[in-house]
């Protein structure tokens, strides 16, 4: 595959350009939807034209690799906003992965930009805690997803719009609507009254199952992360 890549996405958002700008350009906004909201911005090249354009480029690594992210924001009819997002870059002279980086990363951006749209539509401008946890090595196998579903009380495939109640033992019950799935991947996205909960099967990459939840209320983030980590460890013990 080519070591150069470009991923382009366009998404309609139920928000004003100013709200979208706060979501993509501030640490508080990024914590509400993005994949790595607590990453350091040190060394990044940033071009900012509020509230219309934000461009961020990582420093070039020794092998030539870099990533560039561009957000173009445009007001649309009915008080909505169109966001055009481009992730491009170079994977480095020593890149030899067997899978298509652009295709796999594109699936990830579909999910994160959908999460942004859900945030704008249902939780706009509310502060968030991003809660992440990863299962043990035993959850990196083909059969691990069935164990997770059983532990959550999921019976059979889920569909967009389906009402679903999850019962993680030792944690609060999660009652909400399935807002996202990924065809071809094991994934559950659930929108509740207080957050967007995401369960990922990463076995296709040889990685453990993980969770990434955006909770829009005042919680102890570290304590909550530990509780989910302990739950994952228990069900795969």
């Amino acid at each position: 595959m080519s070591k150069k890549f470009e991923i382009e996405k366009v998404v309609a958002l139920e928000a004003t350009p100013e709200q979208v700008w706060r979501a993509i350009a501030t640490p508080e906004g990024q914590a509400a939807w993005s994949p790595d909201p607590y990453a350091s911005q040190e060394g990044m090249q940033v071009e900012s034209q509020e509230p219309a354009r934000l461009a961020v480029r990582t420093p070039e690594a020794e092998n030539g690799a870099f990533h560039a992210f561009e957000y173009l924001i445009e007001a649309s009819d009915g008080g909505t906003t169109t966001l055009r997002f481009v992730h491009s870059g170079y994977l480095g002279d020593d890149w030899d992965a067997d899978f298509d980086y652009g295709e796999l990363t594109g699936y990830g951006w579909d999910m994160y930009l959908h999460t942004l749209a859900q945030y704008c539509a249902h939780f706009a401008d509310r502060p968030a805690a991003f809660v992440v946890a990863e299962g043990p090595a035993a959850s990196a196998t083909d059969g691990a997803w069935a164990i997770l579903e059983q532990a959550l009380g999921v019976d059979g495939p889920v569909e967009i719009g389906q009402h679903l109640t999850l019962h993680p033992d030792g944690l609060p019950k999660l009652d909400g609507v399935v807002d996202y799935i990924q065809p071809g991947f094991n994934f559950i996205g659930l929108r509740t009254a207080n957050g967007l909960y995401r369960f990922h099967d990463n076995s296709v990459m040889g990685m453990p199952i993980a969770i990434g939840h955006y909770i829009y209320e005042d919680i102890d983030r570290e304590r909550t992360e530990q509780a989910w980590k302990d739950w994952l460890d228990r069900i795969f013990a």
Side-chain angles (χ1 to χ4, degrees):
M1 62 161 286
S2 172
K3 297 174 183 178
K4 294 182 179 180
F5 69 93
E6 181 173 292
I7 301 161
E8 181 176 340
K9 304 289 181 180
V10 178
V11 59
L13 302 172
E14 295 181 32
T16 65
E18 290 75 19
Q19 286 176 312
V20 175
W21 179 265
R22 289 194 292 271
I24 67 170
T26 69
E28 297 80 11
Q30 291 170 6
W33 69 276
S34 71
D36 196 10
Y38 304 122
S40 171
Q41 298 296 309
E42 184 177 353
M44 297 287 192
Q45 299 177 22
V46 180
E47 297 178 16
S48 175
Q49 299 169 343
E50 183 178 355
R53 179 178 180 268
L54 177 69
V56 180
R57 189 183 191 278
T58 66
E60 188 171 305
E62 291 184 2
N63 65 356
F66 73 92
H67 293 261
F69 309 90
E70 183 179 44
Y71 302 82
L72 297 173
I73 301 168
E74 184 177 353
S76 302
D77 295 338
T80 63
T81 297
T82 298
L83 173 66
R84 178 175 174 266
F85 169 77
V86 180
H87 176 192
S88 60
Y90 179 70
L91 297 174
D93 296 330
D94 53 358
W95 178 262
D96 61 354
D98 293 329
F99 62 87
D100 188 322
Y101 178 87
E103 180 180 6
L104 192 61
T105 303
Y107 287 129
W109 280 119
D110 285 341
M111 189 270 291
Y112 286 114
L113 292 172
H114 170 83
T115 297
L116 171 61
Q118 291 287 293
Y119 168 66
C120 288
H122 300 280
F123 305 102
D125 290 325
R126 285 172 59 175
F130 182 43
V131 173
V132 294
E134 190 174 85
S139 69
T141 61
D142 290 342
W145 186 253
I147 296 173
L148 179 88
E149 288 186 317
Q150 183 177 23
L152 290 173
V154 176
D155 183 15
V158 299
E159 299 179 352
I160 297 291
Q162 175 184 342
H163 180 267
L164 192 64
T165 302
L166 306 181
H167 300 271
D169 184 44
L171 287 157
K173 177 180 68 176
L174 302 178
D175 187 75
V177 174
V178 176
D179 72 282
Y180 194 72
I181 58 175
Q182 284 184 321
F185 293 87
N186 292 322
F187 181 92
I188 295 175
L190 187 73
R191 186 184 74 245
T192 71
N194 78 329
L196 298 169
Y197 293 81
R198 276 77 178 93
F199 300 84
H200 309 252
D201 179 6
N202 296 320
S203 62
V204 67
M205 297 179 288
M207 298 169 59
I209 279 176
I211 62 97
H213 304 329
Y214 302 87
I215 303 176
Y216 304 103
E217 63 182 19
D218 187 19
I219 63 168
D220 184 325
R221 185 171 69 89
E222 292 185 1
R223 184 175 180 179
T224 304
E225 282 188 337
Q226 188 61 55
W228 279 101
K229 172 61 176 171
D230 291 345
W231 178 77
L232 288 167
D233 287 344
R234 285 198 305 273
I235 69 173
F236 290 107

